Amino acid sequence: MNIPAILQTGLTSAMSAAVAKFTSNLTVISSLPQSSTNGASQLGTLQAPNLQINWLPHSGSGAPWGSRTAFNANPYTQAPSSSGQERVYNFTVARGTIAPDGYEKNTLLINGQFPGPTIEANWGDIITVTVNNAITGPEEGTSLHWHGLLQTGTPWEDGVPAVSQCPIAPGMSLTYSFEADLYGTSWYHSHYSAQYSGGLIGPMIIYGPNSADYDIDLGPVLLTDYYHLSYYDLVEQIMGTDLTMIAPRSVNNLINGKMDYNCSLVTDGTPCTNDAGLSKFQFTTGKQHRLRLINAGAEAIQKFSIDEHTMTVIANDFVPIQPYETDIVTLGIGQRTDVIVQANGDPASTYWMRSTISNCSLTIQPDALAVIYYPSAPADATPKTTAWTDTTPQCANDPLSSTTPIYPITPTADPATTINLTIGATVNSTGHFLWTVNGVSFRADYNAPVLLLANAGNTSYPYDPEWNVYDTGAATSVRLVVENTTPVAHPMHLHGHNMYVLDEGVGSWDGSSVVDGGNPQRRDVQLLQPDGYLVVQYDADNAGVWPFHCHIAWHVSAGLYINLLEKPADIANMQLPGSSKQTCVDWAAFTNVDVVDEIDSGL
């Protein structure tokens, strides 16, 4: 099928001109209060608290991780044992009406906030989160996934329905409890259908050894493409038979949940305010500021920059890397990049912070803007600065040769198992578009989580090939060679592991080349280029059922997903907590045992 023709549904010239004129005339004026745009969240305001420079208070003295540093400690084998310190959170998921860009929308909120509350912990702490499902009108299941954490020894806490649990049924609660087993910047999100594109996201910060010096931690900067239709309506469209809708067009782009929108483009009568308000950040002249960039969107590749300021990259995902400078940072969905910015601007000026999704993504308004204030800048001073010229690759991360982990680890050159995966697309017999991996499109069974089945000794699923389970047995290392036969980029995410990124590019892998075999980039999401390839490897030292999937919400909804079954013999000997099994009892009661009407893959 001709996917490029399907995706090329361009804006009218009049609409493009209206958007360009609107964004070029933005001001710092906010006509709506924060409670109207983002509910109870403080993100995006000057009242948002800065984060800790070193660590959260704890029961001991000194660094909670002892003498470990980013330079001398293997984060996977030398992590601190559980500190005994528990960080407790209580989340209620419910619907609410907010207007992040001025357009009123009924969405999903966590404790009345968008983005959701920030989770903070020290490396080695226990994070305990009780999730209460209060979704009504209509009722839905839900779950939360703690993106990037390994869940070593606790695979049932990964938060993926049909894999590690059943969904949390309406009116019910589930308490997740897991170790902060890596450190750095991440996020959490719903893994139930495409719910996270409807608001169920929040930042997660785990303090650990610093790999570079800085003075101020300005905290999370969430970058999210944004849609005015509900997530359910969008899933209905992409899972329908109208093949022009396989990739819905976002209408806006947000920084920490805020951006203005040109309300003249609204045609459905929904209340809309042009100058809802932009996110704001405070710089202190001469100081080094840490920004924790998170692409928490649904589809778009983000290009982040700050006018007239260079950035020093210090970490990708949960991996500290050797610092390098850049003007623009590229982030696929699910990726995080920590940067340090020297505040060397005019003390009386304001500067634009930008993130754009005009490359590789479908959108109406691609440019998200926020304001950086220097100490003497007037509160009403609108920046007059201009953007950097973008010379980065369109649909790819920075070269692997630029992203070298600080702590070196050499993967085996002779992995025990190699799995070849081909990403494709098809239209099924009923006329619906699906993404495929090795010719199979994934579909979940909420009532039969694969981990719970494996724990009961059932590790063969020939009766349901749509579960896409790849059993790696007792293999100690696994290599995945992924070929993308589509002209679309895919941010590929692996649960339960930091993967070694051995090679990537356009075309086909030559079967042997590795960019840095001695110390390759490690991360949990890597962009797979259009018509390209990706070669990753992981140490199979974490028994569980681990998803490997595209992190574009609409792609995983349409089946671009597999399960990696790791060490099934060990899974069979695990003592799963009663709470994991209780989710299935509750879900069966809610659904009367039958599977709910899944309009997409379920994940």
Side-chain angles (χ1 to χ4, degrees):
M1 64 181 302
N2 190 349
I3 294 177
I6 292 174
L7 296 179
Q8 290 168 1
T9 52
L11 299 177
T12 65
S13 58
M15 183 178 288
S16 296
V19 168
K21 182 178 180 181
F22 177 78
T23 54
S24 66
N25 291 319
L26 290 182
T27 72
V28 298
I29 296 172
S30 302
S31 294
L32 294 178
Q34 182 76 358
S35 58
S36 295
T37 58
N38 300 92
S41 174
Q42 287 188 309
L43 285 180
T45 71
L46 295 177
Q47 290 71 48
N50 293 336
L51 298 184
Q52 303 292 321
I53 296 298
N54 293 312
W55 51 77
L56 293 174
H58 62 105
S59 57
S61 60
W65 42 86
S67 61
R68 297 170 182 84
T69 72
F71 303 87
N72 71 6
N74 185 316
Y76 315 111
T77 62
Q78 296 174 288
S81 57
S82 177
S83 66
Q85 179 73 56
E86 186 178 23
R87 310 291 174 177
V88 179
Y89 295 86
N90 194 294
F91 288 174
T92 295
V93 178
R95 299 189 195 275
T97 299
I98 55 172
D101 64 351
Y103 179 95
E104 285 190 10
K105 177 183 175 181
N106 184 272
T107 189
L108 293 167
L109 304 174
I110 300 174
N111 293 357
Q113 302 179 39
F114 172 72
T118 301
I119 289 176
E120 296 179 76
N122 292 326
W123 190 24
D125 286 353
I126 298 299
I127 299 173
T128 298
V129 186
T130 297
V131 179
N132 308 292
N133 182 355
I135 302 174
T136 59
E139 294 180 323
E140 292 181 9
T142 196
S143 74
L144 287 183
H145 166 60
W146 321 101
H147 185 109
L149 290 181
L150 304 178
Q151 300 293 356
T152 303
T154 55
W156 51 83
E157 304 288 0
D158 199 40
V160 185
V163 179
S164 55
Q165 63 172 86
C166 291
I168 305 171
M172 306 306 292
S173 301
L174 174 63
T175 297
Y176 296 92
S177 186
F178 49 89
E179 188 170 347
D181 51 20
L182 292 175
Y183 60 90
T185 300
S186 198
W187 61 308
Y188 61 87
H189 59 86
S190 171
H191 224 306
Y192 181 100
S193 188
Q195 271 182 349
Y196 86 82
S197 69
L200 294 190
I201 61 171
M204 181 169 61
I205 309 300
I206 300 175
Y207 299 97
N210 288 328
S211 60
D213 294 330
Y214 56 93
D215 304 300
I216 298 169
D217 192 331
L218 290 180
V221 182
L222 284 90
L223 312 174
T224 53
D225 52 359
Y226 189 66
Y227 301 79
H228 287 167
L229 288 177
S230 73
Y231 96 85
Y232 193 87
D233 288 341
L234 290 167
V235 170
E236 278 192 317
Q237 289 182 0
I238 66 168
M239 297 305 297
T241 55
D242 180 358
L243 297 184
T244 65
M245 293 304 298
I246 65 169
R249 185 184 298 279
S250 62
V251 299
N252 208 347
N253 196 20
L254 312 181
I255 295 177
N256 275 354
K258 301 175 76 66
M259 176 59 186
D260 291 344
Y261 186 69
N262 186 351
C263 294
S264 68
L265 301 176
V266 176
T267 60
D268 61 5
T270 299
C272 184
T273 302
N274 273 329
D275 47 3
L278 308 177
S279 283
K280 299 176 180 180
F281 298 85
Q282 182 72 55
F283 270 14
T284 301
T285 302
K287 299 297 185 180
Q288 301 266 18
H289 299 74
R290 181 174 184 166
L291 300 174
R292 299 170 179 267
L293 312 179
I294 305 167
N295 187 340
E299 185 266 344
I301 294 173
Q302 299 276 355
K303 302 276 189 173
F304 178 90
S305 64
I306 299 174
D307 292 358
E308 300 180 22
H309 293 71
T310 58
M311 297 174 285
T312 300
V313 177
I314 62 169
N316 283 329
D317 298 351
F318 273 138
V319 180
I321 64 171
Q322 294 178 13
Y324 69 94
E325 290 191 351
T326 187
D327 300 331
I328 297 175
V329 171
T330 301
L331 299 105
I333 302 294
Q335 292 186 318
R336 294 89 64 208
T337 295
D338 290 46
V339 300
I340 294 175
V341 183
Q342 172 77 28
N344 53 11
D346 181 346
S349 293
T350 56
Y351 293 82
W352 285 127
M353 173 188 290
R354 304 175 186 267
S355 200
T356 185
I357 56 177
S358 56
N359 293 325
C360 301
S361 304
L362 289 169
T363 187
I364 291 175
Q365 184 166 289
D367 300 314
L369 293 170
V371 185
I372 292 175
Y373 288 86
Y374 271 78
S376 301
D380 60 353
T382 299
K384 303 299 182 184
T385 54
T386 57
W388 292 98
T389 300
D390 187 0
T391 59
T392 61
Q394 277 201 340
C395 306
N397 290 126
D398 286 350
L400 294 176
S401 57
S402 299
T403 54
T404 305
I406 282 178
Y407 187 88
I409 301 178
T410 302
T412 178
D414 185 23
T417 297
T418 296
I419 302 173
N420 294 293
L421 302 171
T422 300
I423 292 174
T426 188
V427 175
N428 67 11
S429 59
T430 57
H432 295 79
F433 176 89
L434 297 172
W435 295 99
T436 62
V437 182
N438 287 353
V440 180
S441 185
F442 173 81
R443 190 166 180 82
D445 183 344
Y446 286 153
N447 295 67
V450 180
L451 179 69
L452 273 63
L453 291 173
N455 180 244
N458 184 351
T459 57
S460 178
Y461 316 104
Y463 51 86
D464 203 333
E466 290 181 333
W467 290 0
N468 270 9
V469 177
Y470 289 75
D471 187 346
T472 61
T476 56
S477 58
V478 178
R479 178 174 292 180
L480 306 176
V481 180
V482 189
E483 182 180 2
N484 182 12
T485 65
T486 75
V488 181
H490 302 287
M492 300 304 297
H493 173 46
L494 177 62
H495 291 220
H497 299 274
N498 276 168
M499 51 191 176
Y500 305 103
V501 186
L502 302 182
D503 199 8
E504 65 86 28
V506 175
S508 298
W509 188 47
D510 64 11
S512 61
S513 64
V514 172
V515 173
D516 183 353
N519 184 26
Q521 166 72 85
R522 304 187 303 271
R523 64 187 314 167
D524 54 63
V525 182
Q526 176 66 30
L527 277 172
L528 169 61
Q529 296 190 57
D531 298 305
Y533 66 90
L534 174 63
V535 184
V536 299
Q537 191 168 305
Y538 61 93
D539 297 326
D541 53 6
N542 190 9
V545 182
W546 304 116
F548 180 63
H549 63 91
C550 176
H551 216 300
I552 292 174
W554 321 121
H555 293 188
V556 72
S557 276
L560 210 169
Y561 174 106
I562 68 169
N563 285 303
L564 293 161
L565 177 61
E566 182 173 335
K567 300 194 181 307
D570 292 348
I571 296 173
N573 292 323
M574 289 179 171
Q575 297 297 315
L576 271 61
S579 57
S580 294
K581 299 175 183 178
Q582 186 63 41
T583 61
C584 294
V585 174
D586 296 339
W587 187 252
F590 169 63
T591 62
N592 292 321
V593 180
D594 294 329
V595 176
V596 298
D597 182 19
E598 293 176 31
I599 62 171
D600 68 347
S601 73
L603 303 183

